[in-house]
Amino acid sequence: MRQAKLPGLVAILIAVGLTLLSPALSAEEDTTLTKVPAQIEPINRDVNAISPPATISPESKETFTEARPRLVLALSGGAIKSVAEIGVLRSLEQHHIKIDGIVGTSMGATIGALYCSGVSVDELEAMFLDRSVQSAALKGLFWGAITKPIAPLTYPFKGRPYAGLTDGKGYLEFLEKHLPQRFDQLKIPFAAVVTNISDGQTSVLAHGDLPKAVLASSCVPTLYRPVKIDGKLYVDGGLKANLPSHIAQSMGADIVVAVLVDTAVRPEANKNFKSKKELVLRVMNIMMASADKMQARESDILIYPNVDFMPWITRDPEMLKRGIAAGEEAGNAVAAQIESQLAAVAQNKNTKVVPAIGSTVQVNQ
């Protein structure tokens, strides 16, 4: 089966690289830019100036509250590699481990939302094997790339849209077909992690328009146009919280089980990096692994299936089945540990500090 040459996330790195290089090239050509502007900010700033903290609104947290021990699943992004999360869900079901809530990022948000709406594990698997998810996610991208050169001709009539090859309408239609319209119609509490592109803050959506929130969480910059919700502009939550373990902790969980599908960074031969594709993939894997390792430590139990053999994008059913099986095996390996921790928490609910409901929690992402 033929697979896409480059994953969508690679396009992000290329676009970011070009964006960073462009000002530098322009500065060399334009001598008027050599003047240093006046200092307009304090000389020293606090750590929050690096990146604003995430905020969780009280109404978002309230959907995750129950009296008994709460197990919240944190599902990472990872494009099609995230099918391993389906296997993890299957394993938890087979061991009769109840999930009290799911927090998902990007493809993890899609899988989490579908499962919380009542879509069975078998149905989820079928959606990937018959390529329904992949086709919906890629819909409009090819046409957007073809028409991009002439798109400016339409600006005087339609106005200039936000940057991106597609508005994600095809993916939104798929989500609207399989999801209820609102979060409060879900069978299991769910929250989608997004990035507010305007202020750089990670946000958690757990009420309002569910399909649109899931689209926003999966909105890969430069490929999808940012999604506007309640006047705010959102893109993929994976920019800052690809593995939302810390966020799941702050939603009032007693136990956070995180599922990560990153490619492990192992030593490779120097000769492998003569290819641009391999070099860019390596850079992306290193960057994601570095960020996600810190979040992995915020989980009580980490499920880390070995899906290194999978590309970021594939329609190969046999490879997808292997990825799902890898998730199930990884879930089976820690099932007893999850059961043990749940039993311990049930005996002593004071073993963990649960944030007071109604307060706004800041999460450093």
Side-chain angles (χ1 to χ4, degrees), residues 352-364:
K352 297 189 73 174
V353 178
V354 179
I357 303 305
S359 61
T360 297
V361 178
Q362 287 193 336
V363 183
N364 293 318

Side-chain angles (χ1 to χ4, degrees), residues 264-281:
V265 180
R266 300 186 179 94
E268 291 192 18
N270 293 347
K271 63 180 181 180
N272 292 345
F273 306 115
K274 294 180 180 180
S275 160
K276 290 182 181 179
K277 172 186 174 181
E278 293 302 323
L279 181 60
V280 173
L281 281 172

Side-chain angles (χ1 to χ4, degrees), residues 58-122:
E59 56 268 32
S60 293
K61 286 178 56 186
E62 286 172 0
T63 60
F64 280 75
T65 59
E66 286 186 14
R68 63 186 183 78
R70 297 186 292 277
L71 185 155
V72 176
L73 201 60
L75 300 181
S76 77
I80 298 303
K81 293 162 76 78
S82 294
V83 294
E85 296 167 346
I86 299 173
V88 171
L89 291 169
R90 177 172 284 146
S91 173
L92 296 180
E93 282 189 355
Q94 290 173 345
H95 288 87
H96 307 290
I97 297 173
K98 188 176 186 301
I99 298 170
D100 300 301
I102 295 179
V103 178
T105 298
S106 199
M107 187 58 76
T110 294
I111 292 173
L114 289 168
Y115 185 77
C116 289
S117 71
V119 175
S120 71
V121 171
D122 290 343

